[in-house]
Amino acid sequence: KKGLYIVATPIGNLGDLTARAAEVLSAAPYIACEDTRVTKKLFSLLGIGLDKKFITYEDHSEEQKAQGIVDLIKREEAMVALVSDAGSPLISDPGYKLVRRCREQGVPVYTLPGCCAIICALQLSGLPTNRFMFAGFIPNKEKGRADLFAELAAIDTTLVFYETAPRLLKTLTAAAVAFPQREMAVA
């Protein structure tokens, strides 16, 4: 059926792609993705043909490209699959503006559940999972990081952040100062 399909992709093991996700990715003539090279490599590894139109849809082009994708779906009665480089689209990745425009203009939106780094990290952490707050990527500047940690220090729930490997040690050091009584896990 026509519409926008939000498709989770594997975050480390190709076997984690659901059969339904593989079916939608194979059937969709248009793929909106952060990095076409990453997505084409994934498709090759999964044995999904590259006979599709790959549309770059990332943070810097999200605003301009959203309406074009909505128009494409409406004009061609098309299926467009939205994927991120790994995991669930819209989770610290672009996409909400596209979903919002689809909703505003009566374009159907479907979601296919699958891999999500937040949930995997929580499951592995051993920390309480009955309540948690996802705070996204940590600012890379020291002041921004300190301000974010100060803002969240009093919140009594498990806090989940994304961080890049090269900045991990610096961030953990700052977190130990900002959250001295909290348990921490890295996943």
Side-chain angles (χ1 to χ4, degrees), residues 10-143:
I11 57 174
N13 186 319
L14 293 177
D16 290 339
L17 186 75
T18 68
R20 183 171 169 230
E23 181 182 312
V24 166
L25 293 176
S26 294
Y30 300 96
I31 309 295
C33 53
E34 290 179 90
D35 186 330
T36 59
R37 297 166 300 180
V38 171
T39 303
K40 286 177 181 179
K41 180 178 178 184
L42 174 65
F43 276 44
S44 292
L45 291 169
L46 293 169
I48 298 173
L50 299 176
D51 56 335
K52 301 166 180 312
K53 172 78 171 135
F54 290 86
I55 303 164
T56 302
Y57 189 78
E58 36 87 40
D59 285 329
H60 305 294
S61 67
E62 186 173 14
E63 196 64 48
Q64 319 71 291
K65 296 244 178 140
Q67 188 59 51
I69 293 171
V70 171
D71 292 343
L72 172 69
I73 294 168
K74 291 166 74 173
R75 180 179 64 248
E76 295 190 21
E77 296 282 309
M79 251 179 108
V80 174
L82 173 65
V83 299
S84 57
D85 288 346
S88 295
L90 284 81
I91 308 300
S92 277
D93 284 329
Y96 86 89
K97 292 176 183 175
L98 176 56
V99 170
R100 181 178 286 165
R101 286 197 186 198
C102 285
R103 293 277 179 230
E104 290 169 352
Q105 297 177 44
V107 171
V109 177
Y110 308 95
T111 186
L112 286 72
C115 297
C116 180
I118 299 166
I119 301 305
C120 293
L122 283 165
Q123 291 168 327
L124 290 169
S125 72
L127 298 173
T129 57
N130 57 323
R131 283 182 2 146
F132 65 91
M133 178 184 163
F134 176 59
F137 277 99
I138 296 171
N140 60 357
K141 299 247 191 293
E142 200 169 314
K143 180 173 178 359

